[in-house]
């Protein structure tokens, strides 16, 4: 059987009891390592699980899944996913490939950023569509996410923005010369996300969210050093020092924010007076 095992959000102890039992009896264990990361090293996982782990990067999962699924009709294979296997990043393609080969599949769920973000004090049923923000380059500034943010804004719902990570990304210049050399890992911060959001706002001219719009920066959600910082988008552009190391996410507040949500989130505000002023002017009673 192929097991898709969620690892949770933080460290080696977040795995469920059911998931740990599967990992310890599986013939092979793979760790999907390109859509997100845990806050501990592979060696820590191997020590805690008592098993060697094969790191499955994007190339392996997308181009060499046959190796992962090899002989899974006869032995147990565990495919470990940070968060939940069907949370922020789905692995339906892996399941479909297994089905084609007649391999049974079982999923072991766990916490993901989609549920963990509730620790910021916002009610999960007040969230709309989740979007992703990628690193802009000089000649590539994708803005397809904006329409979904605008739709959420129009009906008053919060928007969770998942921030880009670059792990084992090839250096394009070297790739063109036939040399496969990878760039150092990069993790988008809330500050970068807020600045890019305001850049797209200026280009679009639709004013779904401006510099004075309220948002929450989240760091290392579910971990021991979990941190939330609330403020305007302009304030969050310079909040990276307050948030600390990756991984980061960001939430744009919807106009239907409940009074209880406001009261909870206010404690995270960079400037409480400014937060209250904007809340009363733009959000209260909406």
């Amino acid at each position: 059987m192929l097991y898709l095992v969620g690892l949770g959000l933080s460290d080696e102890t977040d795995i469920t009891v059911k998931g740990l039992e599967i990992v310890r009896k599986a013939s092979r264990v793979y760790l999907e390592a390109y859509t997100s990361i845990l806050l501990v090293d592979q060696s820590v996982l191997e020590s805690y699980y008592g098993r060697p782990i094969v790191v499955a990067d994007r190339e392996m999962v997308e181009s060499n899944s046959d190796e992962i699924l090899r002989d899974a009709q006869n032995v147990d294979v565990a495919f470990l996913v940070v968060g939940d296997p069907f949370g922020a990043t789905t692995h339906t393609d892996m399941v479909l490939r297994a089905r084609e080969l007649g391999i049974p599949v079982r999923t072991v769920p766990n916490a993901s950023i989609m549920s963990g973000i509730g620790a910021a004090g916002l009610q999960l049923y007040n969230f709309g569509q989740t979007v992703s923000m990628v690193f802009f380059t000089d000649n590539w500034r994708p803005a397809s996410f904006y329409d979904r943010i605008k739709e959420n804004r129009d009906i008053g719902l919060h928007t969770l923005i998942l921030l880009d990570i670059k792990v084992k990304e090839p250096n394009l210049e070297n790739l063109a010369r036939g040399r496969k050399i990878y760039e150092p890992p990069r993790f988008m911060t809330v500050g970068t996300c807020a600045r890019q959001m305001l850049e797209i706002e200026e280009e679009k001219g639709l004013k779904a969210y401006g510099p004075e719009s309220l948002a929450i920066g989240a760091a290392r959600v579910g971990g021991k050093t979990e941190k939330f910082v609330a403020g305007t988008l302009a304030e969050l552009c310079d909040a990276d020092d307050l948030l600390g190391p990756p991984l980061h996410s960001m939430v744009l507040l919807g106009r239907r924010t409940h009074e209880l949500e406001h009261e909870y989130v206010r404690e995270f505000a960079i400037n409480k007076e400014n937060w209250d002023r904007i809340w009363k002017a733009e959000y209260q009673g909406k």
Side-chain angles (χ1 to χ4, degrees):
M1 180 173 290
L2 172 67
Y3 289 93
L4 302 181
V5 181
L7 297 184
L9 291 170
S10 180
D11 58 34
E12 73 279 10
T13 65
D14 282 349
I15 192 170
T16 64
V17 174
K18 181 185 295 184
L20 185 57
E21 290 175 348
I22 290 168
V23 168
R24 287 179 172 170
K25 73 181 181 66
S27 294
R28 300 192 307 279
V29 181
Y30 297 91
L31 173 63
E32 188 265 88
Y34 66 90
T35 60
S36 189
I37 60 166
L38 281 181
L39 303 180
V40 294
D41 293 333
Q42 175 188 347
S43 60
V44 176
L45 296 182
E46 292 180 326
S47 176
Y48 188 77
Y49 299 159
R51 296 296 313 281
I53 296 173
V54 178
V55 174
D57 58 19
R58 182 188 298 274
E59 183 178 346
M60 182 176 193
V61 174
E62 295 182 351
S63 304
N64 196 22
S65 63
D66 289 346
E67 171 58 25
I68 297 173
L69 298 175
R70 174 175 50 83
D71 203 30
Q73 300 95 331
N74 305 309
V75 299
D76 289 335
V77 175
F79 185 73
L80 312 184
V81 181
V82 176
D84 184 90
F86 297 106
T89 300
T90 63
H91 287 285
T92 52
D93 54 339
M94 181 73 70
V95 174
L96 291 175
R97 293 171 193 170
R99 285 180 182 174
E100 291 175 358
L101 297 171
I103 298 169
V105 179
R106 184 171 297 168
T107 303
V108 182
N110 208 322
S112 77
I113 188 61
M114 308 283 280
S115 57
I117 196 63
L122 301 177
Q123 298 167 6
L124 293 179
Y125 54 76
N126 281 342
F127 279 80
Q129 303 167 86
T130 298
V131 303
S132 297
M133 177 77 78
V134 301
F135 283 109
F136 289 173
T137 67
D138 292 339
N139 52 15
W140 190 59
R141 297 163 57 85
S144 58
F145 66 89
Y146 185 87
D147 291 338
R148 283 175 286 170
I149 288 178
K150 183 69 165 55
E151 289 170 2
N152 290 344
R153 177 69 163 176
D154 289 344
I155 57 177
L157 298 178
H158 312 310
T159 299
L160 170 61
I161 304 179
L162 307 178
L163 309 192
D164 198 7
I165 68 171
K166 299 291 188 185
V167 179
K168 205 174 180 181
E169 292 287 324
N171 180 296
L172 296 182
E173 182 179 344
N174 284 307
L175 200 61
R177 297 176 179 176
R179 297 179 296 185
K180 188 174 284 190
I181 299 175
Y182 298 103
E183 300 280 2
R186 286 196 299 155
F187 305 94
M188 183 180 287
T189 65
V190 163
T192 298
C193 178
R195 287 190 291 273
Q196 291 188 176
M197 179 72 196
L198 292 176
E199 289 174 17
I200 294 297
E201 280 285 357
E202 188 173 349
E203 291 178 10
K204 293 283 187 178
L206 299 179
K207 302 303 178 185
Y209 286 88
E212 288 280 277
S213 298
L214 299 182
I216 304 171
R220 302 170 304 283
V221 173
K224 296 176 182 177
T225 61
E226 177 180 82
K227 179 76 172 181
F228 299 105
V229 172
T232 65
L233 279 176
E235 288 172 335
L236 290 183
C237 286
D238 300 312
D240 287 348
D241 287 344
L242 294 174
L243 284 163
L247 297 170
H248 288 191
S249 303
M250 193 169 79
V251 179
L252 302 171
L253 256 65
R255 291 190 181 275
R256 285 163 49 183
T257 303
H258 191 275
E259 182 72 39
L260 291 176
E261 293 177 289
H262 166 257
E263 183 179 345
Y264 195 110
V265 175
R266 183 181 183 275
E267 291 302 308
F268 305 133
I270 296 171
N271 183 325
K272 290 182 172 57
E273 290 183 2
N274 197 40
W275 179 275
D276 290 340
R277 176 185 63 81
I278 296 172
W279 160 260
K280 291 175 182 177
E282 301 292 336
Y283 292 80
Q284 194 169 27
K286 299 295 184 180

